[in-house]
Amino acid sequence: MKSVYDIAIIGAGPAGIATSCEAVIFGVKNILMFEKGENHSQTIRKYFNDNKPVDKDWKGIEVELKGHIDFKDGTKESTLDLFEESLEKRVIDAKFKTEISQISRLKNRFKIITTTGESYFAKRVVIAIGKMGKPNKPDYKIPVTLKNRANHTISDCKGNEDVLVVGGGDSACEYAYFIHQDNKVTFNYRREKITKANPKNIKNLMNCVEDKEIDLKLGIDIKKVEDEKGKFKVFYTNGEIGRYDRIIYALGGVTPKEFLKSCCVEFDEKSKPYINHKNLNTQGVYLAGDICGSIGGSIALALNHGYNIIMDCMSQEFALEAKSA
């Protein structure tokens, strides 16, 4: 028989890191972490701009940290350094470049199968994969010839381009603000007002609009997109037509329901993953981070999820020891 891990953690973002670190601190010996990317914190690395401010109290919601990771206001770089340091202090078996295809429940353990066919066993499973691994896409089709310039981040923006940023959240506001000095930027959001983003990001965006550095299109949606001589020809619902070199879709992420269903996760009557105040979904299965449906992007809440999970695991262990005694 293969060894049975005490906890298997799917995802090495803030929630997964917190769960693993808290587990080590509270004496859990056998911990296994899976991450399909090459390193931890892939969402932060991929979707956060360099030197992006990272706030502990995201969107003005004050969060009192419960665990042992001393997270404070900082930048993308300082946040990554903090998590790197936290992981280096702990002895954790981490398998990067490893994707999970299915988790099945056995009598008293879970069988975890990777996409390459390897299998592992664990007493408990923590799913902390976030949502940005599966970003939302527009309903209309993107011309095949232009797909390499229909992006979800600004990492491919080279400058001197006409760029359309689509979305109404923090990522959209930050992307537009960050690239506007080197590109001609148009910001499009289908609603009349931006309400989802952090007030600081909205202010930065609107200041650029007032200075005529960013063209703002609110309350207008996109009907379709065509390829016109290598450019995006965008047809808006108000009859306008725009032409752009690149489109950045900052539409958020979606819950990967089919994957979760294949991992023993149960859903409520609204088809959302169920969790209680201890982040427990069903016996032995926990959810952590954005996948829980809490305030998207709150690193502090994700860290608290990890603490909640380990506290629940420890209380169950104490209960089992008392019962056997």
Side-chain angles (χ1 to χ4, degrees):
M1 284 292 294
K2 290 186 176 181
S3 61
V4 180
Y5 289 88
D6 292 317
I7 297 177
I9 302 165
I10 317 301
I17 292 171
T19 304
S20 61
C21 290
E22 299 295 347
V24 172
I25 290 170
F26 285 97
V28 180
K29 301 297 182 183
N30 300 315
I31 306 163
L32 180 60
M33 175 186 284
F34 296 97
E35 169 56 51
K36 69 179 182 179
E38 297 181 352
N39 209 332
H40 66 85
S41 310
Q42 287 297 299
T43 296
I44 295 176
R45 295 178 192 276
K46 184 176 181 180
Y47 293 100
F48 284 32
N49 303 329
D50 290 344
N51 298 312
K52 165 183 163 58
V54 178
D55 299 330
K56 171 182 164 289
D57 296 329
W58 180 239
K59 294 186 179 180
I61 306 298
E62 295 186 10
V63 177
E64 182 179 351
L65 292 172
K66 301 178 182 178
H68 293 79
I69 296 179
D70 188 21
F71 174 58
K72 301 176 182 177
D73 291 349
T75 63
K76 168 186 175 179
E77 289 74 17
S78 66
T79 301
L80 289 174
D81 288 343
L82 171 66
F83 293 151
E84 185 76 32
E85 182 182 356
S86 299
L87 286 173
E88 285 180 353
K89 287 182 178 179
R90 320 298 173 195
V91 181
I92 299 165
D93 186 1
K95 297 187 179 298
F96 295 102
K97 297 183 180 180
T98 304
E99 193 167 357
I100 305 304
S101 64
Q102 183 181 5
I103 299 174
S104 57
R105 186 189 297 274
L106 305 179
K107 286 185 178 180
N108 59 351
R109 67 194 67 177
F110 294 90
K111 183 178 182 180
I112 303 160
I113 304 174
T114 69
T115 53
T116 57
E118 296 176 306
S119 60
Y120 301 85
F121 296 89
K123 297 177 183 177
R124 297 180 180 88
V125 173
V126 179
I127 300 176
I129 58 174
K131 294 182 181 180
M132 288 310 296
K134 189 177 180 182
N136 280 318
K137 298 179 180 180
D139 295 333
Y140 47 86
K141 291 184 179 180
I142 302 295
V144 175
T145 52
L146 296 174
K147 281 195 172 180
N148 65 330
R149 282 185 277 134
N151 312 129
H152 298 284
T153 72
I154 59 174
S155 58
D156 291 328
C157 286
K158 307 303 181 184
N160 297 316
E161 293 182 321
D162 286 338
V163 182
L164 174 64
V165 178
V166 182
D170 285 291
S171 293
C173 293
E174 289 171 358
Y175 289 163
Y177 180 75
F178 190 77
I179 66 172
H180 84 277
Q181 292 183 339
D182 299 317
N183 301 272
K184 182 180 178 182
V185 177
T186 301
F187 186 96
N188 169 238
Y189 183 43
R190 60 189 177 87
R191 300 191 185 280
E192 295 284 348
K193 191 174 181 180
I194 303 170
T195 57
K196 294 182 179 180
N198 189 302
K200 290 190 296 184
N201 286 329
I202 296 175
K203 182 179 179 180
N204 287 338
L205 175 69
M206 298 312 293
N207 285 342
C208 291
V209 171
E210 290 176 8
D211 293 337
K212 297 183 178 181
E213 296 174 345
I214 293 178
D215 183 22
L216 186 65
K217 292 184 181 296
L218 294 183
I220 305 170
D221 210 347
I222 297 173
K223 291 197 299 184
K224 65 177 180 177
V225 172
E226 295 179 354
D227 182 343
E228 183 181 78
K229 298 180 181 180
K231 283 186 173 249
F232 291 94
K233 184 177 182 180
V234 176
F235 295 81
Y236 292 100
T237 52
N238 67 345
E240 291 184 27
I241 295 177
R243 292 169 177 83
Y244 311 96
D245 298 306
R246 187 180 303 278
I247 301 180
I248 307 297
Y249 290 103
L251 304 175
V254 295
T255 302
K257 291 184 181 179
E258 295 307 314
F259 172 74
L260 294 179
K261 287 178 181 177
S262 69
C263 295
C264 303
V265 173
E266 294 185 357
F267 290 75
D268 61 21
E269 64 279 0
K270 296 182 179 179
S271 296
K272 294 182 179 180
Y274 167 80
I275 60 164
N276 66 9
H277 64 285
K278 300 175 182 178
N279 286 78
L280 181 67
N281 173 264
T282 184
Q283 185 177 357
V285 178
Y286 296 87
L287 304 181
D290 288 353
I291 207 75
C292 299
S294 54
I295 300 173
S298 174
I299 293 175
L301 281 179
L303 299 181
N304 281 352
H305 290 173
Y307 179 83
N308 293 341
I309 290 167
I310 298 306
M311 289 299 94
D312 190 55
C313 291
M314 298 305 297
S315 65
Q316 290 186 32
E317 289 295 330
F318 289 145
L320 287 173
E321 290 177 4
K323 184 175 181 181
S324 61

